[in-house]
Amino acid sequence: MAQEQIHRHNVGTLLRHVHLGGSMSRAELAERMGLNRSTIMALTAELSAAGLVREEPPTGSFGSAGRPSLVVRVRPNWAYVLAFDVAVDRLVAARVGLGGAVLDRREAVRARAGADLDHVVEVLARFGRQLHEAAPADSVCVGIGASYCGMIRPGDGMVRFGPDMGWVDQAFGAELSRRLGLGIPVPVGNEAHLGALAEQHRGAGVGLQNLLYLHGDVGVGGGIIVGGKLLDGDGGYGCELGHMVVNPYNGRPCGCGSHGCLEAEVGERALLDAAGRPAETWGRDALRAVVDDADRGDETAREALRRIGDWLGIGVANLINLFNPGMVIFGGMLRDVYPGAAPQVRHRIATNVLPVARERVRLRTSALGDDSTLVGAAELGFADLMADPLATLAGTKASA
Amino acid sequence: MAQEQIHRHNVGTLLRHVHLGGSMSRAELAERMGLNRSTIMALTAELSAAGLVREEPPTGSFGSAGRPSLVVRVRPNWAYVLAFDVAVDRLVAARVGLGGAVLDRREAVRARAGADLDHVVEVLARFGRQLHEAAPADSVCVGIGASYCGMIRPGDGMVRFGPDMGWVDQAFGAELSRRLGLGIPVPVGNEAHLGALAEQHRGAGVGLQNLLYLHGDVGVGGGIIVGGKLLDGDGGYGCELGHMVVNPYNGRPCGCGSHGCLEAEVGERALLDAAGRPAETWGRDALRAVVDDADRGDETAREALRRIGDWLGIGVANLINLFNPGMVIFGGMLRDVYPGAAPQVRHRIATNVLPVARERVRLRTSALGDDSTLVGAAELGFADLMADPLATLAGTKASA
């Protein structure tokens, strides 16, 4: 590895530490990065000169004896990304500052079917331009990221398969970039992949190297962190835990054409059917109504959650055997469903998972709630800056 | 990262290239490692001075015009490891040279039940000492590695669970090291994990970053390579694909206490039962007899393979959806079973796997055959040498 490469890596790593971890003393940075303090001082000076970080007294240091040692923190409200989220029921755009704060946002309810590429991109690009124009005059957009509820080709943001919109091979990332007109490419990630990364960086799973994130909406997507990194597989299409067949006999038909997939047995329609709701009901409100009824003692609703919980438990137990994760996180609509289904899930884990593989696993609901995918999209937008802060910033200024 | 660390890393990386890849010119090494030729020359000189590599004319260079450029290759029959394999039906020990050649080996048939720690270690330690004594006088043992058919705690070679021997929390690695008396620790790995690494380094999956290895014996173990590395999970107990429940209703009882696990539906007993063989038959020969009968047209044996193939297909399809691997490798007894079960496996993949996730997957049987686990154990023994060749060698000489 060449000297210059290492230097760039270290600059980026320091920025990532304060971006994700908040303000930090130089001593703490030296320890975390395994570098000496003079190197940390030089790296901090470079990032400070570039306008990305500041050295300041720690908050709450009033009145302490002597001069408090300075902490390094990101400069707020200057460098930012635009983050977009195409979810099954809404379109969201946000301006997210270095450090992760959502500074501004726009949101629209999305009709479930019939949204073509043109419509989705038009709404998001309008939101994006509004957010960009409303940003402070001296602030700088350092990247863009988008989350999409479907299978995405890495590299060019092509939607290979968007089941609920019926999209096949739609150039979503390229088209959104073109309509935004900012001269910045738009990387796109699968919503559950990004949700998993968001929970690992800023949510329930901070610091964990191995975690499973299950994202429920109409179906069930997955994001799986293995050894600190998102499992992407050979083409970027891994983590499709929703299409694990858990019920090979008499399984419910799945949107993928198969039967008995996890998402067919625990997705929105499965729960509503099990609770005896009419075929024309759908959406988060309908799901929550089942959960509320169960909480109020309605036996049909309770039985529906137990039934979903049993299939969910089989799936989660299989995944724990495979991944030996430190944590399983339930996100999206599974946040609402999980509490009523937890006894069955725990029972299946106790029955089906080898003892040594479940010794330390914890079960949690998403800490970032419905914003996990948006937060993940923002981190996608920050990726270039974290990899090489100074070159990315220089490129941004050149294109502005 | 400090300068000295990078240097050690580079020395080890060069050694690993010639250890795994065979002889290589300096120019090729420069290209693979992204370093300039003078750095490669210096690194090669260090390894050569330490006795690990030599620079020689390429084989088959006779009669070519001009002086052929030298290639770097490992020095054969000098630095070696001892590799051990505790499989369900045999105990193996081998002396494996730098470069991967098996230089000498000892093997014993193992009775299936009732083998306690003391017996297994006694046989292996005797083999190990014989191999060590038979090694050339000036050769040097640089490490030891062992493969075991059970769940292993990383770090200390503790067998947490060895289902077919009934072992629970047995200090196998420590005890084998003590009885060998060479003053060298014995790291231990799960057989399917090591088989996967062996196939990736020297077998069917060379160069692949994402692969699945299914190892059949009495049960079914798994080794899963994600992003170039073995999936280990939080405690080192991941990859337990044999305990994925594929048949939640009417599933066959599994050794783990659950029902309908993949290994219960496709393991040795499942096949023999499906083929109508008496309960007292067991072992590789009995399995091969079913396969041979099927090949000769016996309809009961054919139906048994189809049935096993369908469950195997459900399991493999689930795994492809999760891991989007470049290759699936069938090892152990599944090498014999897979060909007769392949139509069902391919049918399930076509039916259950999302199209984009199966675009590029290839299905193969193990290229290393029954030695995949032994080869993996040898690589475990070489790990320290590859991480830091000169320090490891110095430590070995000091302890000799």
Side-chain angles (χ1 to χ4, degrees), chain A residues 225-397:
Chain A
I225 309 287
V226 173
K229 287 186 178 162
L230 181 73
L231 187 165
D232 51 3
D234 222 41
Y237 307 117
C239 299
E240 284 293 335
L241 52 86
H243 299 285
M244 173 167 42
V245 172
V246 289
N247 187 5
Y249 297 130
N250 315 315
R252 291 172 56 93
C254 182
C256 75
S258 183
H259 288 75
C261 297
L262 182 65
E263 79 168 38
E265 302 295 345
V266 312
E268 179 182 296
R269 195 66 253 152
L271 180 64
L272 294 173
D273 285 351
R277 304 296 154 118
E280 63 274 16
T281 54
W282 58 271
R284 185 70 75 92
D285 290 342
L287 278 177
R288 285 188 172 144
V290 175
V291 173
D292 290 343
D293 287 353
D295 289 341
R296 283 188 292 258
D298 178 316
E299 195 44 50
T300 308
R302 287 193 170 183
E303 177 53 29
L305 285 172
R306 281 195 289 267
R307 184 168 168 170
I308 297 301
D310 194 48
W311 292 116
L312 185 60
I314 291 175
V316 167
N318 285 349
L319 293 166
I320 296 174
N321 273 322
L322 283 168
F323 292 99
N324 184 204
M327 186 176 282
V328 180
I329 302 172
F330 298 95
M333 73 93 171
L334 288 175
R335 276 190 305 138
D336 298 315
V337 169
Y338 175 68
Q344 280 66 39
V345 173
R346 284 195 293 260
H347 173 73
R348 282 291 182 177
I349 291 173
T351 310
N352 296 3
V353 179
L354 297 172
V356 298
R358 62 176 144 88
E359 277 170 344
R360 295 188 294 190
V361 69
R362 287 170 290 166
L363 307 175
R364 294 281 187 279
T365 53
S366 159
L368 299 169
D370 285 338
D371 273 353
S372 64
T373 50
L374 185 73
V375 169
E379 294 307 322
L380 198 57
F382 280 119
D384 282 351
L385 189 74
M386 298 301 146
D388 192 346
L390 308 180
T392 302
L393 215 50
T396 306
K397 282 169 182 163

Side-chain angles (χ1 to χ4, degrees), chain B residues 16 19-20 81-86 90 92-97 99-103 105 144-148 189-204 206 213 215 366-383:
Chain B
R16 174 179 288 275
H19 170 62
L20 293 178
V81 298
L82 294 178
F84 298 95
D85 186 8
V86 181
R90 58 185 194 150
V92 191
R95 186 164 66 86
V96 178
V102 175
L103 302 168
R105 67 189 289 162
I144 305 179
S147 168
Y148 183 89
N190 166 277
E191 61 176 352
H193 296 190
L194 294 177
L197 288 168
E199 291 292 334
Q200 184 202 19
H201 289 325
R202 300 184 178 278
V206 168
Y213 173 78
H215 187 87
S366 159
L368 299 169
D370 286 337
D371 274 353
S372 65
T373 50
L374 184 73
V375 169
E379 293 307 322
L380 197 57
F382 279 119

Side-chain angles (χ1 to χ4, degrees), chain A residues 1 3 6 10 35 151 160-161 210 224 226 231-241 243-249 256 258 311 314 318-319 321-326 351-352 354 356-357 359-360, chain B residues 1 3 6 10 35 151 160-161 210 224 226 231-241 243-249 256 258 311 314 318-319 321-326 351-352 354 356-357 359-360:
Chain A
M1 219 181 303
Q3 208 46 274
I6 298 161
N10 286 341
L35 296 171
M151 296 179 92
R160 294 297 309 277
F161 182 48
N210 298 283
I224 303 173
V226 173
L231 187 165
D232 51 3
D234 222 41
Y237 307 117
C239 299
E240 284 293 335
L241 52 86
H243 299 285
M244 173 167 42
V245 172
V246 289
N247 187 5
Y249 297 130
C256 75
S258 183
W311 292 116
I314 291 175
N318 285 349
L319 293 166
N321 273 322
L322 283 168
F323 292 99
N324 184 204
T351 310
N352 296 3
L354 297 172
V356 298
E359 277 170 344
R360 295 188 294 190
Chain B
M1 222 181 303
Q3 208 45 271
I6 297 160
N10 286 340
L35 296 171
M151 297 179 91
R160 294 297 310 277
F161 182 47
N210 298 281
I224 303 172
V226 172
L231 187 165
D232 52 5
D234 222 41
Y237 307 117
C239 299
E240 285 294 336
L241 53 86
H243 299 284
M244 173 166 44
V245 172
V246 289
N247 187 6
Y249 297 131
C256 75
S258 183
W311 292 117
I314 291 175
N318 286 349
L319 293 167
N321 273 323
L322 283 169
F323 292 99
N324 184 204
T351 310
N352 296 4
L354 297 172
V356 297
E359 277 170 344
R360 295 189 295 189

